[in-house]
Amino acid sequence: MNKALSEIYRELGITEVHLKACLLSLHSEPSLSDLKVAAIDFEGKPFVLEVNAEAAFQKMKAAALADQITLMPYSGFRSIMYQKSLIAHHLKNGRVIDEILTTIAIPGYSEHHTGHAIDFHEIGKNSLEEDFEKTESFEWLTKNAGRFHFKMSYPRDNQQGIVYEPWHWFFS
Ligand SMILES: [Zn+2]
């Protein structure tokens, strides 16, 4: 493990036990020059992806639009340091690390670090919910995302032991 990561884990109280229990893969971040602003999100913040994922996303978005579907990205690239700050925020609010790690990936292990993962949401809803599977966007993605090399990473009963995430799609 690299030094920066072990330092983060020490600060957050992430132990060998947590790392052993984690069934996800370690991911690295693209270089800054390989990141591109793909859109401005609902909060007015830039939605960033790795350049190849960005190009595929734009094609997919246009194809969806031609079918009267507006794909709404909620989050894309997230740095390892951002992941760390998310967990630190929850710790500060009194949650315990074991519980936090059931919904937030250990820094270094989120697919969002690669800039290849997109979380979609429904218009008018800011949170990521299982109900996303009932939207037209989800139906469209299920039928068409594969053509653009996007795949749902965490279907029901996935082998990684992650909760069902119908909103999370990965480019590869
Ligand atoms: Zn996600």
Side-chain angles (χ1 to χ4, degrees), residues 75 78 112 117-119 128 165 167-168:
S75 98
R78 278 204 300 263
H112 287 280
I118 303 178
D119 292 336
L128 305 176
E165 291 194 358
W167 58 82
H168 179 110

Side-chain angles (χ1 to χ4, degrees), residues 13 21 35 40 45 75 87 112 127 147 150:
L35 288 170
I40 299 300
K45 289 187 308 200
S75 98
I87 294 177
H112 287 280
S127 54
R147 285 198 281 133
F150 279 92

Side-chain angles (χ1 to χ4, degrees), residues 83-143:
Q83 194 82 359
K84 179 202 164 187
S85 70
L86 267 182
I87 294 177
H89 177 77
H90 285 296
L91 286 170
K92 220 175 145 191
N93 286 343
R95 290 178 64 194
V96 293
I97 192 69
D98 290 53
E99 189 229 333
I100 295 168
L101 294 181
T102 62
T103 52
I104 301 177
I106 292 174
Y109 289 84
S110 168
E111 286 186 343
H112 287 280
H113 299 330
T114 64
H116 282 209
I118 303 178
D119 292 336
F120 292 99
H121 71 135
E122 201 179 48
I123 293 172
K125 275 191 185 177
N126 292 344
S127 54
L128 305 176
E129 291 164 16
E130 202 172 296
D131 269 4
F132 182 73
E133 71 174 357
K134 294 172 188 154
T135 63
E136 286 183 328
S137 297
F138 179 76
E139 195 188 337
W140 190 92
L141 285 165
T142 302
K143 284 185 196 145

